[in-house]
Amino acid sequence: MPDSRFILALIASPIITSLGLLALTVVFLALQPTLVLLLPAGKEGLDEAVLVLPVAQLIAGLSPVFGGLQYLFFGGVALWVYLQNNPARPLACALLMLAVNGLVTAGIYLLGHPEFGEFCLRLGSFFAPLWGLVFALLYDRSLKRAAKTKAKKA
Protein backbone atom coordinates (compact mmCIF):
# COMPACT_ATOMS: atom_id res chain seq x y z
CA MET A 1 0.00 0.00 0.00
CA PRO A 2 1.45 3.41 -0.94
CA ASP A 3 2.47 5.59 1.99
CA SER A 4 1.54 9.23 2.44
CA ARG A 5 4.91 10.46 1.11
CA PHE A 6 4.36 8.57 -2.15
CA ILE A 7 0.81 9.87 -2.59
CA LEU A 8 1.79 13.44 -1.75
CA ALA A 9 4.71 13.41 -4.21
CA LEU A 10 2.50 11.81 -6.86
CA ILE A 11 -0.19 14.48 -6.53
CA ALA A 12 2.18 17.42 -6.05
CA SER A 13 4.47 16.79 -9.02
CA PRO A 14 2.04 17.89 -11.81
CA ILE A 15 0.97 20.91 -9.77
CA ILE A 16 4.52 21.99 -8.95
CA THR A 17 5.59 21.45 -12.56
CA SER A 18 2.75 23.62 -13.90
CA LEU A 19 3.47 26.35 -11.37
CA GLY A 20 7.16 26.24 -12.30
CA LEU A 21 6.36 26.59 -16.00
CA LEU A 22 4.03 29.49 -15.24
CA ALA A 23 6.78 31.14 -13.17
CA LEU A 24 9.21 30.77 -16.09
CA THR A 25 6.67 32.52 -18.30
CA VAL A 26 6.44 35.42 -15.87
CA VAL A 27 10.26 35.66 -15.77
CA PHE A 28 10.40 35.70 -19.56
CA LEU A 29 7.77 38.44 -19.74
CA ALA A 30 9.79 40.49 -17.27
CA LEU A 31 13.02 39.99 -19.22
CA GLN A 32 11.56 40.36 -22.72
CA PRO A 33 11.88 44.18 -22.95
CA THR A 34 15.51 43.97 -21.86
CA LEU A 35 16.20 41.20 -24.35
CA VAL A 36 14.69 43.31 -27.13
CA LEU A 37 17.06 46.17 -26.22
CA LEU A 38 20.09 43.86 -26.04
CA LEU A 39 19.19 41.87 -29.16
CA PRO A 40 17.49 44.25 -31.59
CA ALA A 41 17.86 41.75 -34.46
CA GLY A 42 15.71 39.27 -32.53
CA LYS A 43 12.89 41.73 -31.80
CA GLU A 44 10.39 40.06 -34.13
CA GLY A 45 11.01 36.61 -32.65
CA LEU A 46 10.77 37.92 -29.11
CA ASP A 47 7.54 39.75 -29.91
CA GLU A 48 6.09 36.58 -31.44
CA ALA A 49 7.11 34.62 -28.35
CA VAL A 50 5.07 37.01 -26.22
CA LEU A 51 2.04 36.31 -28.43
CA VAL A 52 2.45 32.55 -27.94
CA LEU A 53 2.86 32.77 -24.15
CA PRO A 54 -0.87 32.90 -23.30
CA VAL A 55 -1.34 29.60 -25.14
CA ALA A 56 1.68 28.12 -23.36
CA GLN A 57 0.31 29.28 -20.02
CA LEU A 58 -3.06 27.72 -20.79
CA ILE A 59 -1.45 24.41 -21.73
CA ALA A 60 0.81 24.40 -18.65
CA GLY A 61 -2.07 25.34 -16.38
CA LEU A 62 -4.49 22.77 -17.77
CA SER A 63 -2.02 19.91 -18.20
CA PRO A 64 -2.84 18.38 -14.79
CA VAL A 65 -6.53 18.46 -15.72
CA PHE A 66 -6.07 16.69 -19.06
CA GLY A 67 -3.32 14.24 -18.12
CA GLY A 68 -3.74 14.07 -14.38
CA LEU A 69 -6.03 11.06 -14.21
CA GLN A 70 -3.90 9.04 -16.61
CA TYR A 71 -0.82 10.02 -14.62
CA LEU A 72 -2.37 9.15 -11.25
CA PHE A 73 -3.92 5.83 -12.28
CA PHE A 74 -1.45 4.39 -14.75
CA GLY A 75 1.67 6.33 -13.83
CA GLY A 76 1.04 5.98 -10.11
CA VAL A 77 0.77 2.20 -10.37
CA ALA A 78 3.89 2.01 -12.56
CA LEU A 79 5.88 4.19 -10.16
CA TRP A 80 4.71 2.19 -7.16
CA VAL A 81 5.73 -1.11 -8.78
CA TYR A 82 9.07 0.38 -9.86
CA LEU A 83 9.82 1.71 -6.37
CA GLN A 84 9.30 -1.71 -4.78
CA ASN A 85 12.75 -2.81 -5.97
CA ASN A 86 14.49 0.41 -7.05
CA PRO A 87 15.38 3.80 -5.61
CA ALA A 88 13.62 6.91 -6.90
CA ARG A 89 15.99 7.90 -9.70
CA PRO A 90 14.83 10.99 -11.61
CA LEU A 91 15.89 9.80 -15.07
CA ALA A 92 14.44 6.33 -14.58
CA CYS A 93 11.12 7.73 -13.34
CA ALA A 94 11.01 10.17 -16.26
CA LEU A 95 11.60 7.37 -18.79
CA LEU A 96 9.05 5.17 -17.03
CA MET A 97 6.41 7.89 -17.30
CA LEU A 98 7.27 8.40 -20.98
CA ALA A 99 6.76 4.66 -21.56
CA VAL A 100 3.48 4.69 -19.63
CA ASN A 101 2.30 7.65 -21.70
CA GLY A 102 3.12 5.70 -24.87
CA LEU A 103 1.18 2.66 -23.66
CA VAL A 104 -1.85 4.73 -22.63
CA THR A 105 -1.77 6.53 -25.97
CA ALA A 106 -1.61 3.20 -27.82
CA GLY A 107 -4.65 2.08 -25.86
CA ILE A 108 -6.52 5.24 -26.79
CA TYR A 109 -5.67 4.64 -30.46
CA LEU A 110 -6.83 1.03 -30.24
CA LEU A 111 -10.12 2.14 -28.70
CA GLY A 112 -10.76 4.18 -31.85
CA HIS A 113 -9.98 7.73 -30.71
CA PRO A 114 -6.98 8.73 -32.86
CA GLU A 115 -7.43 12.50 -32.44
CA PHE A 116 -7.47 12.28 -28.65
CA GLY A 117 -4.61 9.78 -28.80
CA GLU A 118 -2.52 12.20 -30.84
CA PHE A 119 -3.32 14.97 -28.34
CA CYS A 120 -2.24 12.74 -25.46
CA LEU A 121 0.92 11.66 -27.26
CA ARG A 122 2.02 15.21 -28.07
CA LEU A 123 1.37 16.79 -24.69
CA GLY A 124 2.01 13.68 -22.65
CA SER A 125 5.42 13.15 -24.22
CA PHE A 126 6.44 16.49 -22.73
CA PHE A 127 4.61 16.49 -19.41
CA ALA A 128 4.78 12.81 -18.38
CA PRO A 129 8.59 12.61 -18.16
CA LEU A 130 8.69 16.01 -16.49
CA TRP A 131 6.17 14.87 -13.89
CA GLY A 132 8.11 11.63 -13.36
CA LEU A 133 11.32 13.58 -12.82
CA VAL A 134 9.70 15.97 -10.34
CA PHE A 135 8.02 13.04 -8.57
CA ALA A 136 11.37 11.30 -8.08
CA LEU A 137 12.97 14.47 -6.73
CA LEU A 138 10.10 15.11 -4.30
CA TYR A 139 9.83 11.51 -3.15
CA ASP A 140 13.57 11.06 -2.66
CA ARG A 141 13.76 14.31 -0.72
CA SER A 142 10.85 13.21 1.45
CA LEU A 143 12.53 9.88 2.21
CA LYS A 144 15.82 11.57 3.10
CA ARG A 145 14.05 14.05 5.36
CA ALA A 146 12.23 11.22 7.12
CA ALA A 147 15.51 9.33 7.60
CA LYS A 148 17.15 12.43 9.09
CA THR A 149 14.25 12.94 11.47
CA LYS A 150 14.36 9.30 12.51
CA ALA A 151 18.15 9.48 13.06
CA LYS A 152 17.79 12.59 15.26
CA LYS A 153 15.16 10.89 17.43
CA ALA A 154 17.36 7.82 17.97
Side-chain angles (χ1 to χ4, degrees):
M1 189 72 183
D3 61 354
S4 61
R5 286 186 287 277
F6 177 85
I7 293 170
L8 184 63
L10 190 68
I11 292 171
S13 59
I15 297 166
I16 290 172
T17 302
S18 291
L19 291 175
L21 292 171
L22 293 173
L24 283 175
T25 301
V26 170
V27 168
F28 175 78
L29 288 174
L31 293 176
Q32 193 266 348
T34 305
L35 291 172
V36 168
L37 290 174
L38 293 173
L39 306 166
K43 182 183 181 327
E44 286 182 31
L46 290 167
D47 289 343
E48 289 175 11
V50 170
L51 296 174
V52 173
L53 284 177
V55 175
Q57 285 179 330
L58 182 67
I59 291 170
L62 292 178
S63 63
V65 174
F66 286 112
L69 288 177
Q70 296 171 17
Y71 165 76
L72 290 174
F73 291 129
F74 300 110
V77 170
L79 286 168
W80 180 248
V81 170
Y82 169 77
L83 291 174
Q84 296 306 303
N85 298 316
N86 302 293
R89 294 189 187 111
L91 182 60
C93 289
L95 291 174
L96 178 63
M97 291 298 93
L98 184 62
V100 167
N101 180 64
L103 290 172
V104 169
T105 301
I108 292 169
Y109 269 99
L110 291 174
L111 290 173
H113 303 287
E115 294 86 13
F116 184 63
E118 186 176 328
F119 176 76
C120 291
L121 184 63
R122 288 178 189 232
L123 290 180
S125 294
F126 175 75
F127 285 106
L130 198 56
W131 293 351
L133 183 132
V134 172
F135 165 82
L137 295 173
L138 290 173
Y139 188 65
D140 188 48
R141 183 176 180 196
S142 173
L143 291 176
K144 287 179 181 175
R145 184 179 295 154
K148 269 187 184 178
T149 304
K150 188 175 180 181
K152 284 182 182 179
K153 288 182 180 179

